[in-house]
Amino acid sequence: MPSSPVAPPSSAAERTRQLRLVAASGLLGTAVEFYDFLVYGTVAALVFGELFFPGADPAVGTIAAFGTFAAGYVARPLGGILFGHFGDRLGRKSMLLLTMGLMGGASFLIGLLPTYDTIGVWAPVLLIALRVVQGVAIGGEWGGATLMVVEHAGERRRGLWSSFTQMGAPLGSLLSTAVVAYVVTLPKDDFAAWGWRVPFLFSVALLGVGLFVRLKVVESPLFAEVKKDRAESRLPILDVLRNPRPVLLACGVGIGAFTAQSLLTSYMIAYATGIGYARPQVLNALTVSACVALVVLPCASALSDRIGRRPVVLAGAIASAALAFPVLALVDSKSPGLLILAVVLGHGIAQSTMYGPLGALLTEMFGTKVRYTGASLGYQGATLVGAGFSPMIAGSLVAGSGTSTPVALLLCGGAAVTAVTVCFVRETNRSTLDDSTARPSVPRTEEISA
């Protein structure tokens, strides 16, 4: 459904109020979406193997559970294309309301889903189907939420304001980890019987809060101008793919952040518990890391406003590669304290430094008429390659080698892709958000004062 035609705010005070409201909407909405999406990954690592793929070797069951995890990532580019098309045609706000509703509904239904013992093979089939719905929903969420903030923000602090949407990921992770940490204190039989359902059912409450805030925001002023001039693209995906270089660059520059995110959060639960850590110890480490990320993300994003997106992302990629083997060595020490340090260094600091500026960087690489489609496609392509298959590949390689070396190598590989790609992306932190067609990015100019 199209957004209600609300006139863009005219006074400076009203524009500031709307910007804060849009930032809060992006933060809460993305947190709800990532809570729902990451709860799946956490519970999959803990119990889905035995509930939906019984009778398999534990390692095979874990790989199968992460296979359904990957299904959500495969669907994300489809969501980016679908919601990007209608977001560029009908408006950002209405698509964001729809993505949130889809995500919340799918998560709630997962919480009600019968297991293999009850309905047999239909249990994993329905699980995968709902996971795909989650992937489609979150595929349209990030692009719309981020560009809404960026298109409302001024020229000087787009990075800082876009970090509120980026902070939705660790906030959602923090919420999901906290809820799961509570339910895993239940006796093992109770957790397997009904406790794992609680985090999914709880998403309904978060959905209500997110929708309440999101309904109050007005449409993007830049999109309103495009609609006013009747200049929107009829098929944004075709306009984007006529010049695929920006999408490929956007995808490549995000791969390192998403590889680190998936390996040091969802996969780390399965790996660490497999070598002897108690579940609460691993979840505590992820909670501390998420808290650190909530500080690092806005700092890295604000720094990118001052010195550029490229150097900040590059610094994060170099740090991620340099810390990969030390981080896994700390995890292998089987010390709870060193586990916390490992996840904080690898995820809370290095990954967040790469991830923080991506919101502004990717949206600045595309013109208003195709920005939703282009930014979403690049971002979700990065999640598919970097995060969608990393846990499954890591699980298979670790099961075969018996060491954590493959995990460290995957972290280094993802960081290397980001480091190389960012060298081909021109700086965007001084670019204007005009209505040009998709482009790699705009070089720094002197037409906007620092």
Side-chain angles (χ1 to χ4, degrees):
M1 58 180 177
S3 303
S4 303
V6 180
S10 55
S11 69
E14 178 61 17
R15 287 195 298 269
T16 300
R17 190 189 73 83
Q18 268 298 318
L19 176 56
R20 291 172 179 170
L21 188 59
V22 169
S25 167
L27 174 64
L28 291 174
T30 309
V32 171
E33 298 264 2
F34 273 89
Y35 167 86
D36 290 333
F37 202 73
L38 296 173
V39 155
Y40 183 100
T42 305
V43 176
L46 294 175
V47 76
F48 273 5
E50 61 188 82
L51 292 179
F52 291 91
F53 306 95
D57 176 85
V60 175
T62 298
I63 293 170
F66 278 124
T68 63
F69 181 73
Y73 280 98
V74 171
R76 287 173 70 158
L78 175 61
I81 295 171
L82 177 65
F83 289 104
H85 173 82
F86 289 105
D88 283 327
R89 294 275 295 161
L90 303 178
R92 287 57 161 124
K93 178 180 174 179
S94 56
M95 294 302 104
L96 291 176
L97 292 171
L98 184 55
T99 59
M100 184 177 287
L102 279 176
M103 176 63 80
S107 295
F108 184 76
L109 290 176
I110 289 175
L112 299 176
L113 196 62
T115 61
Y116 189 93
D117 288 341
T118 304
I119 60 172
V121 71
W122 281 106
V125 170
L126 292 173
L127 180 66
I128 293 172
L130 291 172
R131 183 61 176 171
V132 169
V133 173
Q134 282 191 323
V136 170
I138 203 169
E141 164 67 24
W142 179 88
T146 301
L147 65 87
M148 275 282 279
V149 177
V150 171
E151 289 180 349
H152 274 85
E155 299 291 343
R156 297 183 180 180
R157 296 195 294 170
R158 290 195 299 254
L160 176 61
W161 282 108
S162 70
S163 70
F164 283 87
T165 302
Q166 302 295 80
M167 289 163 65
L171 182 57
S173 176
L174 185 61
L175 290 171
S176 67
T177 303
V179 174
V180 174
Y182 174 75
V183 297
V184 296
T185 60
L186 295 168
K188 185 175 181 180
D189 290 344
D190 289 342
F191 177 72
W194 58 268
W196 67 270
R197 301 179 183 275
V198 173
F200 293 102
L201 300 177
F202 178 67
S203 65
V204 171
L206 297 177
L207 175 63
V209 175
L211 288 175
F212 176 78
V213 175
R214 188 155 279 180
L215 283 166
K216 293 179 175 292
V217 303
V218 300
E219 185 55 87
S220 156
L222 290 180
F223 178 79
E225 286 298 317
V226 168
K227 290 293 290 183
K228 181 180 177 180
D229 296 338
R230 300 182 180 275
E232 76 272 9
S233 171
R234 293 184 62 84
L235 287 172
I237 184 64
L238 293 183
D239 288 343
V240 169
L241 294 181
R242 284 192 186 101
N243 178 20
R245 186 170 183 265
V247 173
L248 295 175
L249 290 175
C251 177
V253 81
I255 283 176
F258 292 113
T259 301
Q261 181 187 63
S262 64
L263 291 178
L264 296 176
T265 55
S266 298
Y267 177 73
M268 185 54 61
I269 298 172
Y271 177 77
T273 54
I275 63 173
Y277 287 97
R279 289 175 180 176
Q281 291 173 337
V282 184
L283 296 176
N284 287 341
L286 295 180
T287 299
V288 174
S289 175
C291 292
V292 172
L294 287 173
V295 176
V296 175
L297 281 169
C299 292
S301 301
L303 183 62
S304 77
D305 284 329
R306 298 183 65 85
I307 69 172
R309 321 292 185 212
R310 297 173 67 241
V312 177
V313 173
L314 182 60
I318 293 172
S320 184
L323 289 170
F325 283 93
V327 160
L328 269 299
L330 292 173
V331 174
D332 289 339
S333 72
K334 300 184 181 180
S335 164
L338 294 180
L339 173 66
I340 293 175
L341 178 61
V343 180
V344 166
L345 289 174
H347 181 260
I349 297 177
Q351 190 273 346
S352 296
T353 302
M354 279 190 287
Y355 184 64
L358 286 183
L361 175 60
L362 269 59
T363 54
E364 290 163 350
M365 291 171 70
F366 300 91
T368 304
K369 291 188 290 186
V370 298
R371 184 169 292 129
Y372 202 144
T373 300
S376 295
L377 195 57
Y379 182 93
Q380 303 307 337
T383 66
L384 172 61
V385 177
F389 298 104
S390 294
M392 188 166 54
I393 293 171
S396 300
L397 294 177
V398 169
S401 67
T403 71
S404 62
T405 300
V407 183
L409 290 175
L410 285 171
L411 286 171
C412 289
V417 172
T418 290
V420 171
T421 305
V422 80
C423 295
F424 292 91
V425 176
R426 291 190 292 173
E427 188 53 68
T428 62
N429 73 324
R430 302 299 186 201
S431 64
T432 57
L433 297 179
D434 58 23
D435 189 40
S436 63
T437 57
R439 59 197 188 280
S441 62
V442 180
R444 292 182 71 132
T445 68
E446 300 303 321
E447 60 188 16
I448 303 174
S449 63

